[in-house]
Amino acid sequence: MENHNINDRIRGSLIGGAIGDALGYPVEFIYPYHRIQEKYGINGITRYDTTQWWTENTDNNGTAVVSDDTQMTLFTACGILNAQKNQTAILSEICEAYLEWLCTQMEKNKKGFDQCWIRRLPELNARRAPGNTCISALRHIMAGLTPHNNSKGCGGIMRISPIPLYGAVDNRMDIREACHLAAEASKLTHQHPLGYIPSAFTAYLIYRLAQDQHPDAESFRKYIKESLDFIQESYPEHPEEVEKFNRLIQTAVQWAETPEDAVRVIEKELGGGWVAEETAAIAVYCSLAHFNDFEKAMIAAVNHSGDSDSTGAVTGNILGAAMGYEALPAFYKENLELHRVILHIADDLYAGAESQFE
C-alpha cells in the first residue's frame, strides 16, 4: 500500500471513532430505546446533537462533543509517541499517559505527569462520563498498587485503535505484537479475560483493514475469521472465555447477512455493549452489515439502549480504517470537537514522531 493511503486510513480510523463517539454520547444513558425515539425521532439519533444538554457545558456552541472514549484514545496515541521520543517501552508510556488523563479527571497537577501535550487542551480536561473501572484502576496504579478487578467493561476496548494503526505503518510492529500490546493496554484497567481479549481481536481487524488496498465485505469476513483463529491460538489458558467470544462474534456475522431490524438484533442477540465482548460484536455486526455505508453503520451502532458512544466509537475505528478519512461523510466531519487535534495526532502516528501542533 502507498504510504499516503495508509496515512488516510489512520486519519479515517481516529476520526471515525470520534464521530461514533460524538453521535452516540448524547444517548449513552437513555433507555429503553423508545425514549431515544421520543427525543430524536422514529429513526433515533442520526445527526449530531450539539446542544450539549447532557454535559456540564451548556454554552451551546454548536460543537459535537466527544466522551472519555476519544479522550483516552488520544492519550493512548500520545503514550505511543512518547515511547518513541524517549526510547522507552510503549506499554509503560501508555500507562503513564493514562495516569495523566486521570489527573485531568481529578483536576490535579501531579509532578512527573506532564509528558502529553494534549493535557494542555481544555477539552481533554473536561469530565466526559469517565468509566468507574478506569478511574479506580488508575488510582491504584498511581498509588503504587497493582489493580485487581474482574471487570470486562468496554473501557479497555474503546481506546486501543492507535496501537494497530501505528503498528501497521511499514509493518513497524508485527500484527501479533500489535494485538498483544492492545490487549495488555486494556488489561492495565480491565483484568477479566473478556476485558482485554476483545481488544486483541479488534486490533487485528483494524491493522488488516488499514493495510488492505481495496477492502470489501468479503475480505472483512476473512479478517474476522483470521482474528478469531488468532485469539484462539493466543489465549489457550482461557478456553471458556475464547469460546464464548467466538460464539458471540459468529452470531454478529450471521445477523449481518439478514435484513433484520438492527435495534432488535443488538438488544436481543448481541447485548448492550457495556462489556467488551458485546462492544466488539456490535461493531462487527454494524460494520459488516453496512460495510459500504458509513452513515448507516453509525446510525445502527449508536441507536440502542446500551453503551452507544463506545459501540459507535469502535465501529467508527473499524470502518474508518477500511474507508479512510477522505471517504467519510463531510457532514460528520463538520463541528466535530478536536477535529484538528485528532488529524494532527493521526499524522504523528503515521510519521512515528510527535510534531508541533499549531
Side-chain angles (χ1 to χ4, degrees), residues 11 15 18-19 63-64 66 123 325 330 332-346 357:
R11 285 178 152 216
I15 290 291
I19 289 170
T63 300
V66 297
E123 298 91 340
Y325 174 77
Y332 277 144
K333 299 174 189 175
E334 296 170 359
N335 302 317
L336 178 64
E337 186 178 45
L338 296 169
H339 190 170
R340 287 182 58 246
V341 172
I342 296 169
L343 290 182
H344 180 86
I345 288 179
F357 179 70

mmCIF file with all atom_site columns, all heavy atoms in Angstrom, residues 11 15 18-19 63-64 66 123 325 330 332-346 357:
data_model
loop_
_atom_site.group_PDB
_atom_site.id
_atom_site.type_symbol
_atom_site.label_atom_id
_atom_site.label_alt_id
_atom_site.label_comp_id
_atom_site.label_asym_id
_atom_site.label_entity_id
_atom_site.label_seq_id
_atom_site.pdbx_PDB_ins_code
_atom_site.Cartn_x
_atom_site.Cartn_y
_atom_site.Cartn_z
_atom_site.occupancy
_atom_site.B_iso_or_equiv
_atom_site.pdbx_formal_charge
_atom_site.auth_seq_id
_atom_site.auth_comp_id
_atom_site.auth_asym_id
_atom_site.auth_atom_id
_atom_site.pdbx_PDB_model_num
ATOM 1   N N   . ARG A 1 11  ? -6.033  8.445  9.694  1.00 0.00 ? 11  ARG A N   1
ATOM 2   C CA  . ARG A 1 11  ? -6.929  9.579  9.919  1.00 0.00 ? 11  ARG A CA  1
ATOM 3   C C   . ARG A 1 11  ? -8.383  9.113  9.972  1.00 0.00 ? 11  ARG A C   1
ATOM 4   O O   . ARG A 1 11  ? -9.155  9.536  10.837 1.00 0.00 ? 11  ARG A O   1
ATOM 5   C CB  . ARG A 1 11  ? -6.769  10.603 8.797  1.00 0.00 ? 11  ARG A CB  1
ATOM 6   C CG  . ARG A 1 11  ? -5.501  11.439 8.856  1.00 0.00 ? 11  ARG A CG  1
ATOM 7   C CD  . ARG A 1 11  ? -5.409  12.400 7.679  1.00 0.00 ? 11  ARG A CD  1
ATOM 8   N NE  . ARG A 1 11  ? -4.643  13.584 8.019  1.00 0.00 ? 11  ARG A NE  1
ATOM 9   C CZ  . ARG A 1 11  ? -4.905  14.805 7.571  1.00 0.00 ? 11  ARG A CZ  1
ATOM 10  N NH1 . ARG A 1 11  ? -5.917  15.004 6.735  1.00 0.00 ? 11  ARG A NH1 1
ATOM 11  N NH2 . ARG A 1 11  ? -4.170  15.841 7.943  1.00 0.00 ? 11  ARG A NH2 1
ATOM 12  N N   . ILE A 1 15  ? -10.698 9.582  13.296 1.00 0.00 ? 15  ILE A N   1
ATOM 13  C CA  . ILE A 1 15  ? -11.854 10.470 13.135 1.00 0.00 ? 15  ILE A CA  1
ATOM 14  C C   . ILE A 1 15  ? -13.146 9.659  13.143 1.00 0.00 ? 15  ILE A C   1
ATOM 15  O O   . ILE A 1 15  ? -14.161 10.074 13.732 1.00 0.00 ? 15  ILE A O   1
ATOM 16  C CB  . ILE A 1 15  ? -11.742 11.301 11.848 1.00 0.00 ? 15  ILE A CB  1
ATOM 17  C CG1 . ILE A 1 15  ? -10.618 12.343 11.981 1.00 0.00 ? 15  ILE A CG1 1
ATOM 18  C CG2 . ILE A 1 15  ? -13.065 11.995 11.530 1.00 0.00 ? 15  ILE A CG2 1
ATOM 19  C CD1 . ILE A 1 15  ? -10.900 13.464 12.974 1.00 0.00 ? 15  ILE A CD1 1
ATOM 20  N N   . ALA A 1 18  ? -14.079 9.014  16.651 1.00 0.00 ? 18  ALA A N   1
ATOM 21  C CA  . ALA A 1 18  ? -14.593 10.222 17.296 1.00 0.00 ? 18  ALA A CA  1
ATOM 22  C C   . ALA A 1 18  ? -16.011 10.539 16.823 1.00 0.00 ? 18  ALA A C   1
ATOM 23  O O   . ALA A 1 18  ? -16.853 11.016 17.596 1.00 0.00 ? 18  ALA A O   1
ATOM 24  C CB  . ALA A 1 18  ? -13.658 11.401 17.021 1.00 0.00 ? 18  ALA A CB  1
ATOM 25  N N   . ILE A 1 19  ? -16.295 10.281 15.540 1.00 0.00 ? 19  ILE A N   1
ATOM 26  C CA  . ILE A 1 19  ? -17.640 10.501 15.007 1.00 0.00 ? 19  ILE A CA  1
ATOM 27  C C   . ILE A 1 19  ? -18.648 9.610  15.732 1.00 0.00 ? 19  ILE A C   1
ATOM 28  O O   . ILE A 1 19  ? -19.699 10.069 16.197 1.00 0.00 ? 19  ILE A O   1
ATOM 29  C CB  . ILE A 1 19  ? -17.672 10.225 13.487 1.00 0.00 ? 19  ILE A CB  1
ATOM 30  C CG1 . ILE A 1 19  ? -16.924 11.328 12.729 1.00 0.00 ? 19  ILE A CG1 1
ATOM 31  C CG2 . ILE A 1 19  ? -19.117 10.116 12.984 1.00 0.00 ? 19  ILE A CG2 1
ATOM 32  C CD1 . ILE A 1 19  ? -16.688 11.012 11.257 1.00 0.00 ? 19  ILE A CD1 1
ATOM 33  N N   . THR A 1 63  ? -20.826 22.591 18.931 1.00 0.00 ? 63  THR A N   1
ATOM 34  C CA  . THR A 1 63  ? -19.807 21.562 18.787 1.00 0.00 ? 63  THR A CA  1
ATOM 35  C C   . THR A 1 63  ? -20.371 20.197 19.163 1.00 0.00 ? 63  THR A C   1
ATOM 36  O O   . THR A 1 63  ? -21.083 20.062 20.152 1.00 0.00 ? 63  THR A O   1
ATOM 37  C CB  . THR A 1 63  ? -18.595 21.868 19.694 1.00 0.00 ? 63  THR A CB  1
ATOM 38  O OG1 . THR A 1 63  ? -18.043 23.129 19.321 1.00 0.00 ? 63  THR A OG1 1
ATOM 39  C CG2 . THR A 1 63  ? -17.537 20.791 19.560 1.00 0.00 ? 63  THR A CG2 1
ATOM 40  N N   . ALA A 1 64  ? -20.042 19.191 18.377 1.00 0.00 ? 64  ALA A N   1
ATOM 41  C CA  . ALA A 1 64  ? -20.393 17.810 18.703 1.00 0.00 ? 64  ALA A CA  1
ATOM 42  C C   . ALA A 1 64  ? -19.306 17.258 19.604 1.00 0.00 ? 64  ALA A C   1
ATOM 43  O O   . ALA A 1 64  ? -18.215 16.907 19.144 1.00 0.00 ? 64  ALA A O   1
ATOM 44  C CB  . ALA A 1 64  ? -20.512 16.976 17.428 1.00 0.00 ? 64  ALA A CB  1
ATOM 45  N N   . VAL A 1 66  ? -17.096 14.993 22.264 1.00 0.00 ? 66  VAL A N   1
ATOM 46  C CA  . VAL A 1 66  ? -16.715 13.593 22.415 1.00 0.00 ? 66  VAL A CA  1
ATOM 47  C C   . VAL A 1 66  ? -16.668 13.244 23.895 1.00 0.00 ? 66  VAL A C   1
ATOM 48  O O   . VAL A 1 66  ? -16.651 14.117 24.762 1.00 0.00 ? 66  VAL A O   1
ATOM 49  C CB  . VAL A 1 66  ? -15.359 13.306 21.753 1.00 0.00 ? 66  VAL A CB  1
ATOM 50  C CG1 . VAL A 1 66  ? -15.437 13.553 20.252 1.00 0.00 ? 66  VAL A CG1 1
ATOM 51  C CG2 . VAL A 1 66  ? -14.250 14.167 22.386 1.00 0.00 ? 66  VAL A CG2 1
ATOM 52  N N   . GLU A 1 123 ? -10.502 20.734 26.330 1.00 0.00 ? 123 GLU A N   1
ATOM 53  C CA  . GLU A 1 123 ? -11.395 19.614 26.007 1.00 0.00 ? 123 GLU A CA  1
ATOM 54  C C   . GLU A 1 123 ? -10.895 18.300 26.604 1.00 0.00 ? 123 GLU A C   1
ATOM 55  O O   . GLU A 1 123 ? -11.690 17.402 26.875 1.00 0.00 ? 123 GLU A O   1
ATOM 56  C CB  . GLU A 1 123 ? -11.516 19.443 24.492 1.00 0.00 ? 123 GLU A CB  1
ATOM 57  C CG  . GLU A 1 123 ? -12.110 20.638 23.769 1.00 0.00 ? 123 GLU A CG  1
ATOM 58  C CD  . GLU A 1 123 ? -11.048 21.630 23.305 1.00 0.00 ? 123 GLU A CD  1
ATOM 59  O OE1 . GLU A 1 123 ? -9.917  21.601 23.845 1.00 0.00 ? 123 GLU A OE1 1
ATOM 60  O OE2 . GLU A 1 123 ? -11.357 22.416 22.384 1.00 0.00 ? 123 GLU A OE2 1
ATOM 61  N N   . TYR A 1 325 ? -10.092 8.651  5.722  1.00 0.00 ? 325 TYR A N   1
ATOM 62  C CA  . TYR A 1 325 ? -10.690 9.929  6.109  1.00 0.00 ? 325 TYR A CA  1
ATOM 63  C C   . TYR A 1 325 ? -11.436 10.607 4.972  1.00 0.00 ? 325 TYR A C   1
ATOM 64  O O   . TYR A 1 325 ? -12.539 11.125 5.148  1.00 0.00 ? 325 TYR A O   1
ATOM 65  C CB  . TYR A 1 325 ? -9.585  10.860 6.622  1.00 0.00 ? 325 TYR A CB  1
ATOM 66  C CG  . TYR A 1 325 ? -10.047 12.267 6.930  1.00 0.00 ? 325 TYR A CG  1
ATOM 67  C CD1 . TYR A 1 325 ? -10.752 12.544 8.090  1.00 0.00 ? 325 TYR A CD1 1
ATOM 68  C CD2 . TYR A 1 325 ? -9.771  13.321 6.056  1.00 0.00 ? 325 TYR A CD2 1
ATOM 69  C CE1 . TYR A 1 325 ? -11.177 13.834 8.381  1.00 0.00 ? 325 TYR A CE1 1
ATOM 70  C CE2 . TYR A 1 325 ? -10.189 14.602 6.335  1.00 0.00 ? 325 TYR A CE2 1
ATOM 71  C CZ  . TYR A 1 325 ? -10.890 14.851 7.501  1.00 0.00 ? 325 TYR A CZ  1
ATOM 72  O OH  . TYR A 1 325 ? -11.317 16.138 7.768  1.00 0.00 ? 325 TYR A OH  1
ATOM 73  N N   . ALA A 1 330 ? -18.926 14.232 4.793  1.00 0.00 ? 330 ALA A N   1
ATOM 74  C CA  . ALA A 1 330 ? -18.484 15.569 5.200  1.00 0.00 ? 330 ALA A CA  1
ATOM 75  C C   . ALA A 1 330 ? -19.282 16.100 6.373  1.00 0.00 ? 330 ALA A C   1
ATOM 76  O O   . ALA A 1 330 ? -18.733 16.779 7.255  1.00 0.00 ? 330 ALA A O   1
ATOM 77  C CB  . ALA A 1 330 ? -18.585 16.528 4.005  1.00 0.00 ? 330 ALA A CB  1
ATOM 78  N N   . TYR A 1 332 ? -20.383 14.642 8.905  1.00 0.00 ? 332 TYR A N   1
ATOM 79  C CA  . TYR A 1 332 ? -19.915 14.116 10.186 1.00 0.00 ? 332 TYR A CA  1
ATOM 80  C C   . TYR A 1 332 ? -18.580 14.742 10.603 1.00 0.00 ? 332 TYR A C   1
ATOM 81  O O   . TYR A 1 332 ? -18.202 14.693 11.779 1.00 0.00 ? 332 TYR A O   1
ATOM 82  C CB  . TYR A 1 332 ? -19.750 12.600 10.123 1.00 0.00 ? 332 TYR A CB  1
ATOM 83  C CG  . TYR A 1 332 ? -21.029 11.824 10.346 1.00 0.00 ? 332 TYR A CG  1
ATOM 84  C CD1 . TYR A 1 332 ? -21.266 10.640 9.657  1.00 0.00 ? 332 TYR A CD1 1
ATOM 85  C CD2 . TYR A 1 332 ? -21.996 12.250 11.257 1.00 0.00 ? 332 TYR A CD2 1
ATOM 86  C CE1 . TYR A 1 332 ? -22.432 9.905  9.858  1.00 0.00 ? 332 TYR A CE1 1
ATOM 87  C CE2 . TYR A 1 332 ? -23.157 11.520 11.470 1.00 0.00 ? 332 TYR A CE2 1
ATOM 88  C CZ  . TYR A 1 332 ? -23.372 10.354 10.762 1.00 0.00 ? 332 TYR A CZ  1
ATOM 89  O OH  . TYR A 1 332 ? -24.526 9.629  10.971 1.00 0.00 ? 332 TYR A OH  1
ATOM 90  N N   . LYS A 1 333 ? -17.861 15.315 9.656  1.00 0.00 ? 333 LYS A N   1
ATOM 91  C CA  . LYS A 1 333 ? -16.595 15.971 9.991  1.00 0.00 ? 333 LYS A CA  1
ATOM 92  C C   . LYS A 1 333 ? -16.826 17.385 10.513 1.00 0.00 ? 333 LYS A C   1
ATOM 93  O O   . LYS A 1 333 ? -16.013 17.912 11.280 1.00 0.00 ? 333 LYS A O   1
ATOM 94  C CB  . LYS A 1 333 ? -15.688 16.023 8.759  1.00 0.00 ? 333 LYS A CB  1
ATOM 95  C CG  . LYS A 1 333 ? -15.310 14.669 8.184  1.00 0.00 ? 333 LYS A CG  1
ATOM 96  C CD  . LYS A 1 333 ? -14.530 14.842 6.888  1.00 0.00 ? 333 LYS A CD  1
ATOM 97  C CE  . LYS A 1 333 ? -14.319 13.536 6.169  1.00 0.00 ? 333 LYS A CE  1
ATOM 98  N NZ  . LYS A 1 333 ? -13.669 13.710 4.857  1.00 0.00 ? 333 LYS A NZ  1
ATOM 99  N N   . GLU A 1 334 ? -17.925 17.995 10.090 1.00 0.00 ? 334 GLU A N   1
ATOM 100 C CA  . GLU A 1 334 ? -18.213 19.371 10.492 1.00 0.00 ? 334 GLU A CA  1
ATOM 101 C C   . GLU A 1 334 ? -18.601 19.435 11.967 1.00 0.00 ? 334 GLU A C   1
ATOM 102 O O   . GLU A 1 334 ? -19.367 18.605 12.446 1.00 0.00 ? 334 GLU A O   1
ATOM 103 C CB  . GLU A 1 334 ? -19.355 19.936 9.629  1.00 0.00 ? 334 GLU A CB  1
ATOM 104 C CG  . GLU A 1 334 ? -18.998 20.046 8.153  1.00 0.00 ? 334 GLU A CG  1
ATOM 105 C CD  . GLU A 1 334 ? -20.210 20.367 7.292  1.00 0.00 ? 334 GLU A CD  1
ATOM 106 O OE1 . GLU A 1 334 ? -21.327 20.484 7.863  1.00 0.00 ? 334 GLU A OE1 1
ATOM 107 O OE2 . GLU A 1 334 ? -20.053 20.476 6.065  1.00 0.00 ? 334 GLU A OE2 1
ATOM 108 N N   . ASN A 1 335 ? -18.071 20.415 12.648 1.00 0.00 ? 335 ASN A N   1
ATOM 109 C CA  . ASN A 1 335 ? -18.404 20.689 14.047 1.00 0.00 ? 335 ASN A CA  1
ATOM 110 C C   . ASN A 1 335 ? -17.986 19.579 15.005 1.00 0.00 ? 335 ASN A C   1
ATOM 111 O O   . ASN A 1 335 ? -18.454 19.533 16.154 1.00 0.00 ? 335 ASN A O   1
ATOM 112 C CB  . ASN A 1 335 ? -19.913 20.958 14.212 1.00 0.00 ? 335 ASN A CB  1
ATOM 113 C CG  . ASN A 1 335 ? -20.390 22.105 13.357 1.00 0.00 ? 335 ASN A CG  1
ATOM 114 O OD1 . ASN A 1 335 ? -19.731 23.134 13.264 1.00 0.00 ? 335 ASN A OD1 1
ATOM 115 N ND2 . ASN A 1 335 ? -21.542 21.936 12.707 1.00 0.00 ? 335 ASN A ND2 1
ATOM 116 N N   . LEU A 1 336 ? -17.117 18.681 14.564 1.00 0.00 ? 336 LEU A N   1
ATOM 117 C CA  . LEU A 1 336 ? -16.636 17.617 15.439 1.00 0.00 ? 336 LEU A CA  1
ATOM 118 C C   . LEU A 1 336 ? -15.550 18.165 16.364 1.00 0.00 ? 336 LEU A C   1
ATOM 119 O O   . LEU A 1 336 ? -14.537 18.700 15.904 1.00 0.00 ? 336 LEU A O   1
ATOM 120 C CB  . LEU A 1 336 ? -16.083 16.462 14.611 1.00 0.00 ? 336 LEU A CB  1
ATOM 121 C CG  . LEU A 1 336 ? -15.497 15.282 15.387 1.00 0.00 ? 336 LEU A CG  1
ATOM 122 C CD1 . LEU A 1 336 ? -16.570 14.585 16.210 1.00 0.00 ? 336 LEU A CD1 1
ATOM 123 C CD2 . LEU A 1 336 ? -14.834 14.282 14.423 1.00 0.00 ? 336 LEU A CD2 1
ATOM 124 N N   . GLU A 1 337 ? -15.763 18.028 17.637 1.00 0.00 ? 337 GLU A N   1
ATOM 125 C CA  . GLU A 1 337 ? -14.798 18.527 18.617 1.00 0.00 ? 337 GLU A CA  1
ATOM 126 C C   . GLU A 1 337 ? -13.428 17.868 18.410 1.00 0.00 ? 337 GLU A C   1
ATOM 127 O O   . GLU A 1 337 ? -13.344 16.677 18.100 1.00 0.00 ? 337 GLU A O   1
ATOM 128 C CB  . GLU A 1 337 ? -15.296 18.222 20.032 1.00 0.00 ? 337 GLU A CB  1
ATOM 129 C CG  . GLU A 1 337 ? -14.445 18.828 21.140 1.00 0.00 ? 337 GLU A CG  1
ATOM 130 C CD  . GLU A 1 337 ? -14.999 18.530 22.510 1.00 0.00 ? 337 GLU A CD  1
ATOM 131 O OE1 . GLU A 1 337 ? -15.392 17.371 22.772 1.00 0.00 ? 337 GLU A OE1 1
ATOM 132 O OE2 . GLU A 1 337 ? -15.045 19.458 23.343 1.00 0.00 ? 337 GLU A OE2 1
ATOM 133 N N   . LEU A 1 338 ? -12.372 18.659 18.554 1.00 0.00 ? 338 LEU A N   1
ATOM 134 C CA  . LEU A 1 338 ? -10.992 18.180 18.476 1.00 0.00 ? 338 LEU A CA  1
ATOM 135 C C   . LEU A 1 338 ? -10.606 17.660 17.088 1.00 0.00 ? 338 LEU A C   1
ATOM 136 O O   . LEU A 1 338 ? -9.624  16.933 16.941 1.00 0.00 ? 338 LEU A O   1
ATOM 137 C CB  . LEU A 1 338 ? -10.730 17.076 19.513 1.00 0.00 ? 338 LEU A CB  1
ATOM 138 C CG  . LEU A 1 338 ? -10.840 17.491 20.983 1.00 0.00 ? 338 LEU A CG  1
ATOM 139 C CD1 . LEU A 1 338 ? -10.834 16.265 21.890 1.00 0.00 ? 338 LEU A CD1 1
ATOM 140 C CD2 . LEU A 1 338 ? -9.699  18.429 21.368 1.00 0.00 ? 338 LEU A CD2 1
ATOM 141 N N   . HIS A 1 339 ? -11.347 18.050 16.063 1.00 0.00 ? 339 HIS A N   1
ATOM 142 C CA  . HIS A 1 339 ? -11.096 17.556 14.710 1.00 0.00 ? 339 HIS A CA  1
ATOM 143 C C   . HIS A 1 339 ? -9.637  17.772 14.301 1.00 0.00 ? 339 HIS A C   1
ATOM 144 O O   . HIS A 1 339 ? -8.943  16.831 13.881 1.00 0.00 ? 339 HIS A O   1
ATOM 145 C CB  . HIS A 1 339 ? -12.049 18.252 13.745 1.00 0.00 ? 339 HIS A CB  1
ATOM 146 C CG  . HIS A 1 339 ? -12.049 17.669 12.370 1.00 0.00 ? 339 HIS A CG  1
ATOM 147 N ND1 . HIS A 1 339 ? -12.978 18.016 11.419 1.00 0.00 ? 339 HIS A ND1 1
ATOM 148 C CD2 . HIS A 1 339 ? -11.233 16.766 11.752 1.00 0.00 ? 339 HIS A CD2 1
ATOM 149 C CE1 . HIS A 1 339 ? -12.755 17.354 10.303 1.00 0.00 ? 339 HIS A CE1 1
ATOM 150 N NE2 . HIS A 1 339 ? -11.697 16.603 10.481 1.00 0.00 ? 339 HIS A NE2 1
ATOM 151 N N   . ARG A 1 340 ? -9.161  19.000 14.418 1.00 0.00 ? 340 ARG A N   1
ATOM 152 C CA  . ARG A 1 340 ? -7.786  19.311 14.009 1.00 0.00 ? 340 ARG A CA  1
ATOM 153 C C   . ARG A 1 340 ? -6.772  18.574 14.877 1.00 0.00 ? 340 ARG A C   1
ATOM 154 O O   . ARG A 1 340 ? -5.731  18.114 14.384 1.00 0.00 ? 340 ARG A O   1
ATOM 155 C CB  . ARG A 1 340 ? -7.532  20.821 14.086 1.00 0.00 ? 340 ARG A CB  1
ATOM 156 C CG  . ARG A 1 340 ? -8.202  21.634 12.991 1.00 0.00 ? 340 ARG A CG  1
ATOM 157 C CD  . ARG A 1 340 ? -7.857  23.105 13.116 1.00 0.00 ? 340 ARG A CD  1
ATOM 158 N NE  . ARG A 1 340 ? -6.417  23.354 13.052 1.00 0.00 ? 340 ARG A NE  1
ATOM 159 C CZ  . ARG A 1 340 ? -5.702  23.829 14.072 1.00 0.00 ? 340 ARG A CZ  1
ATOM 160 N NH1 . ARG A 1 340 ? -6.257  24.091 15.235 1.00 0.00 ? 340 ARG A NH1 1
ATOM 161 N NH2 . ARG A 1 340 ? -4.396  24.028 13.942 1.00 0.00 ? 340 ARG A NH2 1
ATOM 162 N N   . VAL A 1 341 ? -7.058  18.461 16.150 1.00 0.00 ? 341 VAL A N   1
ATOM 163 C CA  . VAL A 1 341 ? -6.152  17.763 17.062 1.00 0.00 ? 341 VAL A CA  1
ATOM 164 C C   . VAL A 1 341 ? -6.046  16.290 16.677 1.00 0.00 ? 341 VAL A C   1
ATOM 165 O O   . VAL A 1 341 ? -4.950  15.723 16.628 1.00 0.00 ? 341 VAL A O   1
ATOM 166 C CB  . VAL A 1 341 ? -6.638  17.907 18.519 1.00 0.00 ? 341 VAL A CB  1
ATOM 167 C CG1 . VAL A 1 341 ? -5.809  17.028 19.461 1.00 0.00 ? 341 VAL A CG1 1
ATOM 168 C CG2 . VAL A 1 341 ? -6.577  19.357 18.969 1.00 0.00 ? 341 VAL A CG2 1
ATOM 169 N N   . ILE A 1 342 ? -7.177  15.661 16.393 1.00 0.00 ? 342 ILE A N   1
ATOM 170 C CA  . ILE A 1 342 ? -7.186  14.245 16.037 1.00 0.00 ? 342 ILE A CA  1
ATOM 171 C C   . ILE A 1 342 ? -6.412  14.015 14.738 1.00 0.00 ? 342 ILE A C   1
ATOM 172 O O   . ILE A 1 342 ? -5.619  13.069 14.636 1.00 0.00 ? 342 ILE A O   1
ATOM 173 C CB  . ILE A 1 342 ? -8.627  13.726 15.921 1.00 0.00 ? 342 ILE A CB  1
ATOM 174 C CG1 . ILE A 1 342 ? -9.327  13.803 17.279 1.00 0.00 ? 342 ILE A CG1 1
ATOM 175 C CG2 . ILE A 1 342 ? -8.643  12.275 15.409 1.00 0.00 ? 342 ILE A CG2 1
ATOM 176 C CD1 . ILE A 1 342 ? -10.824 13.570 17.225 1.00 0.00 ? 342 ILE A CD1 1
ATOM 177 N N   . LEU A 1 343 ? -6.620  14.872 13.745 1.00 0.00 ? 343 LEU A N   1
ATOM 178 C CA  . LEU A 1 343 ? -5.879  14.734 12.495 1.00 0.00 ? 343 LEU A CA  1
ATOM 179 C C   . LEU A 1 343 ? -4.381  14.903 12.730 1.00 0.00 ? 343 LEU A C   1
ATOM 180 O O   . LEU A 1 343 ? -3.563  14.179 12.134 1.00 0.00 ? 343 LEU A O   1
ATOM 181 C CB  . LEU A 1 343 ? -6.372  15.756 11.467 1.00 0.00 ? 343 LEU A CB  1
ATOM 182 C CG  . LEU A 1 343 ? -7.768  15.537 10.898 1.00 0.00 ? 343 LEU A CG  1
ATOM 183 C CD1 . LEU A 1 343 ? -8.090  16.612 9.859  1.00 0.00 ? 343 LEU A CD1 1
ATOM 184 C CD2 . LEU A 1 343 ? -7.902  14.152 10.268 1.00 0.00 ? 343 LEU A CD2 1
ATOM 185 N N   . HIS A 1 344 ? -4.021  15.836 13.578 1.00 0.00 ? 344 HIS A N   1
ATOM 186 C CA  . HIS A 1 344 ? -2.601  16.065 13.872 1.00 0.00 ? 344 HIS A CA  1
ATOM 187 C C   . HIS A 1 344 ? -1.984  14.823 14.516 1.00 0.00 ? 344 HIS A C   1
ATOM 188 O O   . HIS A 1 344 ? -0.887  14.382 14.121 1.00 0.00 ? 344 HIS A O   1
ATOM 189 C CB  . HIS A 1 344 ? -2.455  17.273 14.807 1.00 0.00 ? 344 HIS A CB  1
ATOM 190 C CG  . HIS A 1 344 ? -1.049  17.596 15.166 1.00 0.00 ? 344 HIS A CG  1
ATOM 191 N ND1 . HIS A 1 344 ? -0.240  18.404 14.388 1.00 0.00 ? 344 HIS A ND1 1
ATOM 192 C CD2 . HIS A 1 344 ? -0.275  17.195 16.209 1.00 0.00 ? 344 HIS A CD2 1
ATOM 193 C CE1 . HIS A 1 344 ? 0.954   18.501 14.947 1.00 0.00 ? 344 HIS A CE1 1
ATOM 194 N NE2 . HIS A 1 344 ? 0.968   17.772 16.052 1.00 0.00 ? 344 HIS A NE2 1
ATOM 195 N N   . ILE A 1 345 ? -2.681  14.261 15.485 1.00 0.00 ? 345 ILE A N   1
ATOM 196 C CA  . ILE A 1 345 ? -2.158  13.068 16.154 1.00 0.00 ? 345 ILE A CA  1
ATOM 197 C C   . ILE A 1 345 ? -2.121  11.884 15.193 1.00 0.00 ? 345 ILE A C   1
ATOM 198 O O   . ILE A 1 345 ? -1.189  11.064 15.227 1.00 0.00 ? 345 ILE A O   1
ATOM 199 C CB  . ILE A 1 345 ? -2.992  12.759 17.410 1.00 0.00 ? 345 ILE A CB  1
ATOM 200 C CG1 . ILE A 1 345 ? -2.676  13.811 18.486 1.00 0.00 ? 345 ILE A CG1 1
ATOM 201 C CG2 . ILE A 1 345 ? -2.712  11.356 17.939 1.00 0.00 ? 345 ILE A CG2 1
ATOM 202 C CD1 . ILE A 1 345 ? -3.431  13.651 19.772 1.00 0.00 ? 345 ILE A CD1 1
ATOM 203 N N   . ALA A 1 346 ? -3.115  11.788 14.317 1.00 0.00 ? 346 ALA A N   1
ATOM 204 C CA  . ALA A 1 346 ? -3.100  10.721 13.310 1.00 0.00 ? 346 ALA A CA  1
ATOM 205 C C   . ALA A 1 346 ? -1.862  10.836 12.426 1.00 0.00 ? 346 ALA A C   1
ATOM 206 O O   . ALA A 1 346 ? -1.190  9.833  12.131 1.00 0.00 ? 346 ALA A O   1
ATOM 207 C CB  . ALA A 1 346 ? -4.372  10.792 12.462 1.00 0.00 ? 346 ALA A CB  1
ATOM 208 N N   . PHE A 1 357 ? 2.065   21.153 17.364 1.00 0.00 ? 357 PHE A N   1
ATOM 209 C CA  . PHE A 1 357 ? 0.694   21.459 16.976 1.00 0.00 ? 357 PHE A CA  1
ATOM 210 C C   . PHE A 1 357 ? 0.512   22.953 16.917 1.00 0.00 ? 357 PHE A C   1
ATOM 211 O O   . PHE A 1 357 ? 0.858   23.676 17.848 1.00 0.00 ? 357 PHE A O   1
ATOM 212 C CB  . PHE A 1 357 ? -0.289  20.873 17.989 1.00 0.00 ? 357 PHE A CB  1
ATOM 213 C CG  . PHE A 1 357 ? -1.741  21.162 17.676 1.00 0.00 ? 357 PHE A CG  1
ATOM 214 C CD1 . PHE A 1 357 ? -2.373  20.569 16.592 1.00 0.00 ? 357 PHE A CD1 1
ATOM 215 C CD2 . PHE A 1 357 ? -2.466  22.057 18.454 1.00 0.00 ? 357 PHE A CD2 1
ATOM 216 C CE1 . PHE A 1 357 ? -3.690  20.830 16.301 1.00 0.00 ? 357 PHE A CE1 1
ATOM 217 C CE2 . PHE A 1 357 ? -3.791  22.332 18.171 1.00 0.00 ? 357 PHE A CE2 1
ATOM 218 C CZ  . PHE A 1 357 ? -4.406  21.712 17.086 1.00 0.00 ? 357 PHE A CZ  1
#
